[in-house]
């Protein structure tokens, strides 16, 4: 019986080639999009799940409060003493491991000298928590002893070539101490929230020249340590979470905190599942940029939209051509076929068409995936679709889609009355026509929403790229600051400025494009006494050249000056700080007494507000602090160069760098590239969004093309009569198109408010954002009308220009 159904289905597909092609092509395109999006979703949802103990591993995070329940900072890392204290306080914790990114680390072996950006200190428990594949060495002891180091295969080859790296030594240049290679490991897969290339023994940090054992035990202020807890199987993490406040009050008392204030009132610890980090964690100071669960939902909805549009095409075309198969159905019923058998026949056709489309879709997905990876910067793999849980769903998908697409046409066509069909008096009811119209409206409503969304996404991206940041980010190069330069920095600076292509040089603890995370206790003069402020005031250490290097504008007062040795106890603040501190204006702030980090001074300048962080964040109160010359607490050097002589300027900087720092590699980045990277995820999202939106619109047009072609073919005699009576080609085209265009207008009425609401919510993620313009929605409606008209007009013009004699002669 099933063989007969499939044979008949195949013959019907072959008999109606045009309609079958549109159905198969539309479903193939829709399924290909769905498979590509599925590969993306699988990749996102499987982050960190390669770790054997992922389901019972938690990261400890830390929240700071600037006032009662007013969260000012939520760090993904915590202070070093917390790890051992947590293990002491909660003996149920099986393992605790701490990880400290080392920043830019200078390593050299013989004549090879490199800046390494993915070096981490990790303790001996690291391999008990994370499933890292150790290729050489003993995972149980490789990180036990101080000055042990483990490398990936790629890093080992970079330093040692084809030599055996085990037990060879690498010099950590800024510490002048040799590290012994004790192991080689395979890098974490791409779907990991961190990717260390180098692991250094955590016990090395006990050396006072590096960090110091006492600091590890008592420093609750340096929150740079990523701390992970491994809990027993089936253990309820809430049992620990509920006790973290009392844990803080018992074990931690931070320096400078009033004795009557509990620690839990100013800071809080939270526990975060390892598998939630990538999609549900957007905390300050993440190891790497994370994804977003909302983006997963967004692309899931797009995939469903595309699939829905493809299914609608099938339903519309199947019901539209019902009159062509009316006699076939009548004969089947006369010779004894029951309605359920006819329904099975049509469902078999639908499933067969979907299976053919799925075979094509799988082939296309495999071919297109490298292109999608190249365009989006992702690392999606086709093999991820062939996990048994996933492939079982994919194999069921043709049956599900086939049944969804075919059930209405099957029910509709199986209801034909044989007597009327065979007498040729069958008329398709108004109900079926109305349902087809509803489906067309739904298709174009989805298409209009996607047009609006794509337009607004690109408007926002362009706005981000063009918006004035309050400083000039062009032609600024940044290098990591090296402490060895502190004593000779002025000579280094003067030598650089001898080249006219080098405009200015400045040092700072952080540079624009990073996050503002540093703050200390601040007080200002109120009613004759120094009182603690109620706002969160972040700070940057900066030297005399920082503000000029970035072209920031002073609103009032002055910048730090070498002519005033007392400036190390003075401050420059931004306009937002002036407003939130309650001072009347920038001029009024000059000369105000304040204390920051225990250092008393005065406000000497107010700088115009600028976007230090990405446009996702609001401009926050900010203070610049000039450190004492001997301290040199800087992390970066910024150099402003002449845009017309970039090569010359970089050459001068490099030569001067090697002169003063011969054992430190010269490595730089352009600031504008850093800002571009801030919006990589939005750029990727925009690119993928555009591709899939265009495909969804294309599928909708494909269905409209097939439906209009079929509908017009049923009106050839009407067209012939109209021509004979004197109707022009344009009149006929308008007459044939207007019914479809009305449906597009109705779709716009429903779609535009929905699109406006969705995009308003999307824009809320940006502190600086565009306004939704009415013309965007009007444009989307017009574009949809144009697309629909162009799609329909091809068939309309063809029918309108046909010889009416031929259409009227035919029966």
């Amino acid at each position: 019986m099933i063989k007969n159904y499939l044979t008949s289905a195949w013959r019907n597909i072959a008999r109606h080639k045009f309609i079958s092609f549109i159905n198969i092509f539309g479903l193939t395109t829709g399924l290909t999009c769905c498979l590509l999006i599925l590969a993306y979703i699988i990749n996102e949802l499987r982050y960190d799940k390669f770790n054997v103990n992922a389901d019972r591993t938690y990261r400890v995070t830390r929240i700071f409060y600037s006032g009662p329940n007013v969260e000012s900072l939520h760090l993904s890392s915590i202070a070093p003493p917390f790890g051992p204290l947590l293990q002491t306080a909660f003996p149920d914790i099986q393992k605790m491991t701490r990880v400290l990114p080392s920043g830019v680390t200078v390593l050299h072996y013989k004549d090879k000298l490199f800046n390494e950006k993915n070096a981490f200190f990790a303790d001996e428990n690291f391999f008990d928590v994370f499933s890292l594949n150790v290729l050489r060495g003993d995972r149980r002891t490789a990180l036990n002893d101080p000055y042990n180091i483990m490398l990936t295969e790629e890093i080992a080859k970079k330093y040692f070539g084809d030599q055996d790296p085990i037990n060879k030594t690498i010099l950590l240049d800024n510490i002048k101490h040799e590290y012994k290679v004790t192991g080689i490991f395979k890098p974490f897969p791409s779907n990991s929230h961190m990717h260390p290339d180098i692991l250094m023994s955590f016990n090395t940090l006990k050396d006072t020249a590096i960090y110091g054992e006492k600091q590890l035990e008592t420093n609750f202020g340096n929150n740079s340590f990523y701390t992970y807890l491994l809990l027993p199987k089936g253990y309820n993490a809430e049992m620990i979470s509920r006790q973290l406040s009392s844990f803080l009050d018992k074990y931690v008392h931070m320096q400078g905190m009033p004795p009557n204030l509990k620690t839990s009132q100013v800071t809080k610890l939270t526990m975060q599942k390892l598998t939630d980090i990538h999609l549900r964690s957007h905390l300050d100071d993440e190891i790497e940029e994370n994804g977003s669960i909302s983006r997963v939902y967004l692309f899931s909805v797009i995939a469903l939209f595309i699939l829905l549009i493809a299914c609608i095409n099938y339903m519309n075309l199947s019901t539209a051509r019902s009159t062509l198969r009316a006699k076939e159905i009548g004969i089947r019923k006369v010779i004894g076929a029951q309605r359920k058998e006819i329904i099975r026949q049509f469902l078999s056709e639908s499933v067969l068409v979907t299976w053919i489309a799925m075979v094509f879709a799988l082939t296309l997905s495999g071919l297109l995936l490298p292109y999608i990876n190249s365009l989006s910067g992702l690392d999606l793999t086709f093999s991820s679709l062939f996990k048994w849980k996933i492939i079982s769903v994919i194999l069921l998908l043709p049956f599900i889609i086939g049944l969804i697409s075919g059930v209405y046409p099957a029910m509709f066509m199986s209801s034909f009355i044989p007597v009327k069909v065979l007498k040729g008096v069958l008329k398709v009811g108004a109900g079926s026509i109305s349902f087809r119209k509803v489906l067309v409206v739904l298709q174009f409503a989805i298409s209009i929403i996607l047009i609006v969304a794509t337009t607004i996404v690109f408007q926002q991206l362009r706005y981000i790229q063009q918006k004035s940041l309050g400083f000039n980010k062009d032609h600024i190069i940044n290098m990591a600051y090296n402490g060895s330069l502190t004593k000779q920095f002025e000579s280094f600076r003067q030598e650089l400025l001898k080249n006219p292509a080098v405009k200015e040089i400045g040092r700072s603890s952080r540079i624009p494009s990073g996050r503002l995370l540093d703050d200390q206790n601040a007080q200002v003069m109120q009613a004759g006494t120094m009182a603690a402020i109620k706002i969160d005031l972040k700070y940057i250490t900066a030297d005399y050249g920082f503000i000029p290097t970035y072209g920031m504008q002073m609103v009032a007062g002055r910048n730090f000056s070498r002519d005033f040795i007392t400036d190390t106890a003075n401050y420059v603040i931004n306009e937002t700080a002036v407003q939130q501190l309650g001072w009347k204006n920038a001029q009024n702030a000059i000369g105000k007494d304040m204390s920051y980090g225990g250092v008393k001074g005065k406000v000497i300048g107010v700088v115009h507000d600028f976007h230090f962080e990405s446009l996702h964040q609001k401009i926050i109160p900010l203070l610049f602090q000039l450190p004492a010359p001997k301290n040199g607490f800087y992390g970066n050097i910024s150099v402003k160069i002449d845009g017309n002589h970039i090569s010359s300027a970089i050459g001068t900087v490099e030569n001067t760098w090697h002169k003063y720092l011969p054992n430190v590699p010269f490595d730089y980045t352009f600031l504008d590239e850093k800002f571009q990277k801030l919006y990589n995820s939005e750029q990727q999202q925009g690119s993928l969004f555009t591709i899939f939106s265009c495909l969804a619109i294309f599928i909708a047009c494909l269905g409209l093309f097939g439906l209009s072609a079929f509908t017009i073919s049923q009106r050839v005699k009407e067209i012939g009569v109209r021509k004979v009576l004197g109707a022009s080609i344009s009149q006929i085209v308008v007459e044939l198109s207007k019914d479809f265009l009305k449906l597009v207008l109705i779709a716009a009425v429903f779609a535009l408010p929905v699109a406006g609401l969705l995009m308003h919510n999307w824009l809320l993620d940006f502190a600086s954002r565009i306004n939704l313009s009415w013309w965007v929605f009007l444009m989307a409606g017009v574009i949809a009308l144009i697309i629909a008209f162009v799609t329909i007009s091809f068939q309309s013009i063809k029918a309108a220009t046909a010889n009416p004699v031929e259409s009227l002669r035919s029966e």
Side-chain angles (χ1 to χ4, degrees), residues 316 319 408 412 427-439:
N316 267 340
T319 53
Y408 176 73
F412 170 69
K427 289 185 179 181
V428 178
S432 64
I433 295 173
S434 298
F435 186 71
R436 284 211 304 274
K437 288 179 178 179
V438 169
L439 294 179

Side-chain angles (χ1 to χ4, degrees), residues 291-361:
S292 169
I293 191 64
S294 62
R295 200 174 307 149
V296 170
Y297 293 149
L298 174 66
F299 281 103
S300 299
V301 169
I302 291 176
L304 290 175
F305 276 178
I306 291 172
L307 208 54
L308 180 60
I309 290 173
C311 291
I312 288 172
N313 281 353
Y314 187 91
M315 286 189 278
N316 267 340
L317 292 174
S318 296
T319 53
R321 63 176 176 152
S322 58
T323 53
L324 296 180
R325 302 189 66 181
K327 289 185 179 179
E328 172 197 338
I329 297 166
I331 292 170
R332 284 178 179 270
K333 284 194 169 186
V334 167
I335 61 175
Q338 296 181 11
R339 187 179 183 187
K340 62 181 180 182
E341 292 172 333
I342 295 173
I343 291 173
R344 288 176 192 154
Q345 172 62 46
F346 286 114
L347 290 178
S348 299
E349 288 181 20
S350 179
V351 170
L352 180 60
V353 166
T354 311
W355 258 112
I356 294 170
M358 177 60 82
V359 172
F360 286 128

Side-chain angles (χ1 to χ4, degrees), residues 406-436:
V407 67
Y408 176 73
M411 296 297 291
F412 170 69
M413 288 187 280
S414 65
S415 66
F416 290 171
I417 300 172
V419 175
K420 290 185 178 181
V421 167
L422 296 177
K423 284 183 177 181
V425 294
L426 173 72
K427 289 185 179 181
V428 178
S432 64
I433 295 173
S434 298
F435 186 71
R436 284 211 304 274

Side-chain angles (χ1 to χ4, degrees), residues 472-483:
N472 190 346
K473 71 178 186 301
D474 298 327
H475 310 128
I476 293 179
I477 60 172
N478 302 112
M479 295 92 72
Y481 186 71
N482 190 288

Side-chain angles (χ1 to χ4, degrees), residues 714-734:
Q714 304 300 298
R715 300 177 66 181
V716 289
K717 282 190 172 62
E718 174 194 338
I719 295 167
V721 171
R722 286 180 180 274
K723 290 198 72 175
V724 168
L725 294 175
S728 65
I729 292 175
S730 59
Q731 288 174 325
I732 292 172
V733 169
V734 169

Side-chain angles (χ1 to χ4, degrees), residues 78-84 96-102 119-127 141-150 175 179 182 198-208 210-217 219 222 224-228:
I78 62 175
F82 280 121
M96 181 278 300
T97 187
R98 290 173 289 178
V99 173
L100 175 67
S102 182
F120 289 64
F121 287 99
D123 65 22
E124 59 273 14
N125 294 331
F126 185 80
F127 298 109
T141 59
L143 293 176
N144 283 4
D145 297 331
Y147 304 105
N148 283 358
I149 190 170
M150 299 181 71
I175 302 175
Y179 279 74
T182 55
I198 297 169
L199 293 174
M200 300 177 286
S201 168
F202 195 88
N203 287 323
T204 310
L205 294 172
K206 294 179 180 178
D207 189 330
T208 53
I210 301 174
Y211 194 82
E213 188 169 7
K214 186 177 180 181
Q215 285 280 87
L216 289 173
E217 295 172 352
N219 187 349
N222 179 9
S224 303
F225 294 74
Y226 297 86
T227 304
Y228 303 86

Side-chain angles (χ1 to χ4, degrees), residues 541-763:
T541 56
D543 70 2
Y544 312 100
F546 179 80
I547 288 177
T549 297
Y550 284 89
M552 297 169 183
Q553 300 299 312
M554 301 300 298
V555 181
R558 62 175 176 84
N559 181 29
F560 300 119
S561 171
R562 292 177 178 83
D563 298 331
F564 298 89
I565 59 173
T566 57
D567 272 359
T568 53
N570 289 330
Y571 306 103
V572 173
I573 60 177
N574 69 349
E575 291 176 293
T576 299
V578 172
Q579 295 166 7
Q580 295 197 20
L581 286 170
W583 293 327
K584 292 180 182 178
N585 52 47
Q587 193 61 50
N588 180 255
I590 303 302
K592 294 285 188 184
D593 292 316
M594 72 178 301
S595 170
Y596 199 81
V599 178
K600 293 182 179 180
K602 293 182 181 293
V603 176
I604 60 168
V606 177
V607 68
H608 196 288
D609 274 345
F610 62 95
H611 290 274
F612 190 96
E613 302 173 299
S614 84
L615 296 183
H616 286 283
Q617 280 79 40
K618 294 180 180 179
I619 295 175
I620 61 176
L622 179 63
L623 173 144
F624 290 103
Q625 191 173 35
L626 177 69
K630 292 183 180 180
N631 294 342
F633 178 61
Y634 300 111
N636 303 273
I637 302 177
S638 302
V639 182
K640 179 73 172 181
I641 61 177
D642 187 342
N644 297 318
H645 302 89
I646 293 176
S647 298
S648 168
I650 292 176
T652 296
V653 176
E654 182 174 11
N655 292 335
T656 309
W657 181 276
H658 288 312
K659 178 180 176 180
Y660 285 86
L661 298 167
N663 295 320
V664 179
F666 176 68
D667 192 14
Y668 70 93
T669 57
F670 279 96
L671 182 69
D672 55 358
E673 293 176 351
K674 285 181 173 289
F675 269 94
Q676 188 69 24
K677 288 179 180 178
L678 289 178
Y679 311 108
N680 268 353
S681 62
E682 282 81 14
Q683 295 286 0
Q684 292 171 2
Q685 179 178 330
S687 299
L688 292 174
F689 200 84
T690 303
I691 291 171
F692 292 125
S693 296
C694 290
L695 287 171
I697 295 165
F698 170 75
I699 296 169
C701 291
L702 193 66
L704 187 61
F705 180 81
L707 187 59
S708 63
F710 183 83
T711 303
I712 291 169
S713 71
Q714 304 300 298
R715 300 177 66 181
V716 289
K717 282 190 172 62
E718 174 194 338
I719 295 167
V721 171
R722 286 180 180 274
K723 290 198 72 175
V724 168
L725 294 175
S728 65
I729 292 175
S730 59
Q731 288 174 325
I732 292 172
V733 169
V734 169
E735 180 64 30
L736 294 174
S737 304
K738 68 179 183 181
D739 288 340
F740 290 107
L741 297 181
K742 284 179 185 176
L743 298 179
V744 177
L745 283 172
I746 294 170
V749 170
F750 288 104
L752 294 178
V754 175
L757 179 62
L758 291 174
M759 296 318 296
H760 170 75
N761 290 334
W762 181 78
L763 287 170

